[in-house]
Amino acid sequence: MNQTLGSFLEEKRSLLNQQMEQQIYSMQIPETLRNSIMYSIEAGGKRIRPVLLLAANEAFGGDENRAIAPACAVEMIHTYSLIHDDLPAMDDDDVRRGKPTNHVQFDEATAILAGDGLLTAAFHVVTSNDHLTDREKVFLTRELSKASGAEGMVAGQMLDMEAEGQTLTLEGLEAIHRHKTGELIRFSAVAGAFIGGADSSQLHHIESYAKYIGLLFQVQDDILDVVGEEGEIGKPVGSDVSNNKSTYPQLLGLEGAIEHKNQYAEKARMALKEAGVESTLLEDLIDFISDRKN
Ligand code: IPE
Ligand code: IPE
Ligand code: MG
Ligand code: MG
Ligand code: MG
């Protein structure tokens, strides 16, 4: 892995962990609920979305202190989405981030509430931050609610559930991926660039870069569900097959899925060039996401 991105990841992960912990401990939360929330936050995770947000902010010369709150917020929403995604009514998975899933460790009701708590806390974190202007808070709240809600990630989860057992067209599958995974990744890059001071044309190209990164990310997730190792990916292999999910490997075969992934990576690289910003971090993130083993 590229050293620069490697050390950036390591440094920002520990900063984010410390910030999220501080946010959660500053809230008056019933003990079991706090334990359940902290269990999933502390279980780890790659922190790709908030790291992308911080990298995009840095690419435009932004002050990191102003990007921390939205970075924590998007990771909190992502963590909530995983807790709910694993529930028996959804993917019914028992392992996440190398540990028993939240509902296995606690119980279903607690897991549902931990997810609800993380989702709403995310908006509190953004709107109560002192480093952001009111205008920025409105922008971030509007974009994050859209990206995570019934038009965004939640829409993707619904389409994913409805597609179980079906054979979709490539367009149909792409629409699921764009929403369930792409939207939070799109938000992350756009929010970071916006806070960093990108102009509207740059924002447009960064958004396009992020859309391809999002697709790339989920295609690799689908591939890892086939060829990954549970010990390495921290979640069960073969979950998609046992749930009859529509995935890239299921539709195109493994080779076809890899070919598609490479095309998305190339498109992400072109979009980044068009944004006209020099950022080895954003460039290296493309390969990192494409080649990730977990
Ligand atoms: C898993 O996301 C769910 C998808 C959207 C594919 P990540 O692979 O980012 O999971 P963590 O946060 O590293 O556990
Ligand atoms: C989940 O996609 C995307 C979310 C919104 C959480 P998956 O169901 O493929 O994620 P994993 O494989 O369980 O992490
Ligand atoms: Mg799922
Ligand atoms: Mg799942
Ligand atoms: Mg998956």
Side-chain angles (χ1 to χ4, degrees), residues 169-195:
T169 60
L170 189 58
E171 289 72 36
L173 186 56
E174 213 177 88
I176 295 178
H177 284 34
R178 265 203 324 270
H179 288 88
K180 80 170 183 179
T181 306
E183 278 292 287
L184 285 186
I185 291 180
R186 183 187 63 78
F187 166 81
S188 302
V190 168
F194 172 76
I195 299 163

Side-chain angles (χ1 to χ4, degrees), residues 260-275:
H260 250 79
K261 189 179 73 164
N262 294 337
Q263 284 172 17
Y264 291 142
E266 205 36 54
K267 286 179 175 166
R269 256 185 282 279
M270 278 164 59
L272 186 59
K273 245 188 216 124
E274 285 180 59

Side-chain angles (χ1 to χ4, degrees), residues 61-138:
D63 170 2
E64 181 175 87
N65 284 325
R66 291 167 22 79
I68 283 289
C72 289
V74 76
E75 185 65 16
M76 289 162 85
I77 291 184
H78 166 62
T79 302
Y80 126 72
S81 81
L82 297 179
I83 297 173
H84 283 196
D85 181 72
D86 291 330
L87 286 168
M90 296 195 59
D91 291 352
D92 193 16
D93 279 319
D94 290 346
V95 177
R96 166 71 63 186
R97 294 175 166 172
K99 294 188 169 173
T101 42
N102 198 292
H103 65 273
V104 170
Q105 182 72 17
F106 295 86
D107 55 46
E108 271 185 62
T110 308
I112 290 168
L113 293 172
D116 294 342
L118 276 166
L119 168 60
T120 41
F123 291 100
H124 183 75
V125 166
V126 168
T127 50
S128 59
N129 188 269
D130 290 336
H131 298 290
L132 297 164
T133 64
D134 287 350
R135 181 180 156 266
E136 287 169 329
K137 290 177 190 177
V138 169

Side-chain angles (χ1 to χ4, degrees), residues 2 4-5 59 209 272 277-286:
N2 182 296
T4 318
L5 178 59
Y209 158 84
L272 186 59
V277 62
E278 282 293 316
S279 169
T280 38
L281 286 176
L282 293 181
E283 217 175 293
D284 291 348
L285 266 166
I286 300 171

Side-chain angles (χ1 to χ4, degrees), residues 167-273:
T167 302
L168 298 179
T169 60
L170 189 58
E171 289 72 36
L173 186 56
E174 213 177 88
I176 295 178
H177 284 34
R178 265 203 324 270
H179 288 88
K180 80 170 183 179
T181 306
E183 278 292 287
L184 285 186
I185 291 180
R186 183 187 63 78
F187 166 81
S188 302
V190 168
F194 172 76
I195 299 163
D199 65 30
S200 62
S201 151
Q202 288 171 319
L203 273 184
H204 171 77
H205 291 300
I206 286 292
E207 182 168 39
S208 161
Y209 158 84
K211 282 182 179 170
Y212 291 118
I213 290 264
L215 287 167
L216 183 60
F217 190 91
Q218 183 63 43
V219 178
Q220 182 64 1
D221 183 77
D222 289 355
I223 291 172
L224 288 173
D225 191 82
V226 179
V227 304
E229 302 275 342
E230 176 167 328
E232 204 162 15
I233 66 173
K235 57 190 183 184
V237 174
S239 169
D240 293 336
V241 176
S242 55
N243 282 318
N244 286 310
K245 293 286 189 191
S246 290
T247 65
Y248 272 67
Q250 180 248 356
L251 190 64
L252 303 172
L254 201 52
E255 287 302 310
I258 293 169
E259 199 177 297
H260 250 79
K261 189 179 73 164
N262 294 337
Q263 284 172 17
Y264 291 142
E266 205 36 54
K267 286 179 175 166
R269 256 185 282 279
M270 278 164 59
L272 186 59
K273 245 188 216 124

